[in-house]
Amino acid sequence: MHRDKIAQGGGLRKHRPPREPRGRATPPRQGNRQRIPRWVGRYNYHDEDGQRLYQVRRSAPERVVIRRPNGPGQWSDTLEGVRVVLYRLPELREANYDEPVFLVEREQDADRLARLGLVATTQAFGAGQWDETYNVHLADRPIVILSTTDPASA
């Protein structure tokens, strides 16, 4: 009798895989729809006078969108004709020239260091994409490079 119950499942519930936690960042895929990104940061890049030139939006998982203002409330996804600059450039230029400048991987890292009273900057285009025009703002200044374990940044 017990063998029959075991063969029929013995009244036990079948194992089910665990459910995904509620409140996930993106809805599940339906058909060919793409997942909606969850934006985790928006970082404005300004010129020396504080004029916004472009914005970097980062999402989870890693997705980066760089866009520039294109009229009131309008954005363009191209940087054609826009000068690229270091993040937090106005603060960098106002800082004491003898203070070390921390060069970090991402904008959020630069913001954290700035909240601690340090001078920090980064650039929008990832490791290995340094623009020579950045050098003029860093020349003859003490630089501290804080890199990640990402092989591209080595």
Side-chain angles (χ1 to χ4, degrees), residues 44-46 86-93 110-111 114 120-121:
N44 293 312
Y45 281 69
H46 299 91
L86 289 168
Y87 184 60
R88 304 182 65 87
L89 181 59
E91 294 90 341
L92 174 65
R93 291 179 46 90
D111 288 344
T121 190

Side-chain angles (χ1 to χ4, degrees), residues 109-122:
D109 302 324
D111 288 344
R112 284 185 189 125
L113 291 173
R115 284 193 296 272
L116 295 172
L118 301 171
V119 181
T121 190
T122 189

Side-chain angles (χ1 to χ4, degrees), residues 24-100:
R24 58 183 171 252
T26 56
R29 289 187 181 204
Q30 296 176 358
N32 290 332
R33 292 186 186 173
Q34 293 182 355
R35 290 182 182 232
I36 300 169
R38 180 176 61 90
W39 298 108
V40 295
R42 292 183 181 154
Y43 307 98
N44 293 312
Y45 281 69
H46 299 91
D47 67 11
E48 297 85 347
D49 300 321
Q51 181 73 31
R52 181 171 53 189
L53 298 174
Y54 52 95
Q55 182 182 79
V56 172
R57 295 175 70 195
R58 295 189 183 272
S59 73
E62 281 295 310
R63 180 175 173 209
V64 178
V65 174
I66 300 174
R67 60 189 193 162
R68 65 176 169 83
N70 190 20
Q74 304 279 326
W75 293 92
S76 173
D77 289 337
T78 69
L79 288 183
E80 187 175 328
V82 175
R83 181 171 64 106
V84 295
V85 296
L86 289 168
Y87 184 60
R88 304 182 65 87
L89 181 59
E91 294 90 341
L92 174 65
R93 291 179 46 90
E94 291 174 9
N96 183 334
Y97 212 73
D98 296 330
E99 285 186 65

Side-chain angles (χ1 to χ4, degrees), residues 86-153:
L86 289 168
Y87 184 60
R88 304 182 65 87
L89 181 59
E91 294 90 341
L92 174 65
R93 291 179 46 90
E94 291 174 9
N96 183 334
Y97 212 73
D98 296 330
E99 285 186 65
V101 176
F102 289 84
L103 186 58
V104 297
E105 282 291 318
R106 294 198 168 104
E107 295 90 355
Q108 66 189 22
D109 302 324
D111 288 344
R112 284 185 189 125
L113 291 173
R115 284 193 296 272
L116 295 172
L118 301 171
V119 181
T121 190
T122 189
Q123 51 95 26
F125 304 102
Q129 301 297 318
W130 189 260
D131 191 290
E132 294 295 322
T133 61
Y134 303 151
N135 296 345
V136 69
H137 303 292
L138 301 172
D140 300 322
R141 296 187 81 150
I143 306 291
V144 178
I145 299 173
L146 300 178
S147 65
T148 65
T149 57
D150 179 10
S153 63

